[in-house]
Short mmCIF file of all heavy atoms in Angstrom, two decimals:
data_model
loop_
_atom_site.label_atom_id
_atom_site.label_comp_id
_atom_site.label_asym_id
_atom_site.label_seq_id
_atom_site.Cartn_x
_atom_site.Cartn_y
_atom_site.Cartn_z
N THR D 20 76.45 301.37 45.78
CA THR D 20 77.81 301.69 46.18
C THR D 20 78.30 300.72 47.24
O THR D 20 79.42 300.25 47.20
CB THR D 20 77.86 303.13 46.73
OG1 THR D 20 77.48 304.02 45.70
CG2 THR D 20 79.26 303.47 47.21
N VAL D 34 109.65 283.07 51.73
CA VAL D 34 110.13 281.84 52.34
C VAL D 34 111.59 282.04 52.75
O VAL D 34 112.41 282.46 51.93
CB VAL D 34 110.02 280.65 51.36
CG1 VAL D 34 110.74 279.42 51.93
CG2 VAL D 34 108.56 280.32 51.09
N TRP D 54 94.87 294.69 49.96
CA TRP D 54 93.79 294.96 49.01
C TRP D 54 93.34 296.41 49.14
O TRP D 54 93.39 297.01 50.19
CB TRP D 54 92.61 294.00 49.19
CG TRP D 54 91.95 293.99 50.54
CD1 TRP D 54 90.82 294.66 50.92
CD2 TRP D 54 92.36 293.23 51.70
NE1 TRP D 54 90.51 294.38 52.22
CE2 TRP D 54 91.44 293.51 52.73
CE3 TRP D 54 93.42 292.36 51.96
CZ2 TRP D 54 91.54 292.95 54.00
CZ3 TRP D 54 93.53 291.81 53.23
CH2 TRP D 54 92.60 292.09 54.23
N THR D 89 90.80 302.36 53.17
CA THR D 89 90.95 302.37 51.71
C THR D 89 91.91 301.26 51.27
O THR D 89 91.66 300.56 50.29
CB THR D 89 91.47 303.73 51.24
OG1 THR D 89 90.54 304.75 51.63
CG2 THR D 89 91.63 303.76 49.72
N ASP D 117 75.79 288.63 57.43
CA ASP D 117 76.10 287.90 56.21
C ASP D 117 77.49 288.28 55.70
O ASP D 117 78.00 289.37 55.99
CB ASP D 117 75.06 288.21 55.12
CG ASP D 117 73.66 287.80 55.55
OD1 ASP D 117 73.51 286.67 56.05
OD2 ASP D 117 72.73 288.62 55.39
N ILE D 128 103.56 279.14 47.16
CA ILE D 128 104.66 279.27 48.11
C ILE D 128 105.86 278.51 47.55
O ILE D 128 105.77 277.31 47.30
CB ILE D 128 104.26 278.72 49.49
CG1 ILE D 128 103.02 279.47 50.00
CG2 ILE D 128 105.41 278.85 50.48
CD1 ILE D 128 102.44 278.90 51.28
N PRO D 172 114.89 285.49 61.61
CA PRO D 172 114.62 285.59 60.17
C PRO D 172 114.37 287.01 59.68
O PRO D 172 114.86 287.40 58.62
CB PRO D 172 113.38 284.71 59.99
CG PRO D 172 113.48 283.69 61.08
CD PRO D 172 114.07 284.44 62.25
N THR D 192 125.01 277.76 39.27
CA THR D 192 124.71 277.67 40.70
C THR D 192 125.97 277.49 41.54
O THR D 192 125.92 276.89 42.62
CB THR D 192 123.75 276.50 40.98
OG1 THR D 192 124.34 275.28 40.50
CG2 THR D 192 122.40 276.71 40.32
N LEU D 213 121.28 283.60 49.89
CA LEU D 213 120.79 283.32 48.55
C LEU D 213 119.39 283.90 48.43
O LEU D 213 118.56 283.67 49.32
CB LEU D 213 120.75 281.82 48.28
CG LEU D 213 122.02 281.01 48.51
CD1 LEU D 213 121.74 279.52 48.32
CD2 LEU D 213 123.13 281.47 47.58
N GLY D 224 90.98 298.51 37.45
CA GLY D 224 90.59 299.89 37.26
C GLY D 224 91.77 300.66 36.70
O GLY D 224 92.40 300.26 35.72
#
Side-chain angles (χ1 to χ4, degrees):
T20 298
V34 171
W54 59 97
T89 301
D117 299 313
I128 302 174
T192 58
L213 306 175

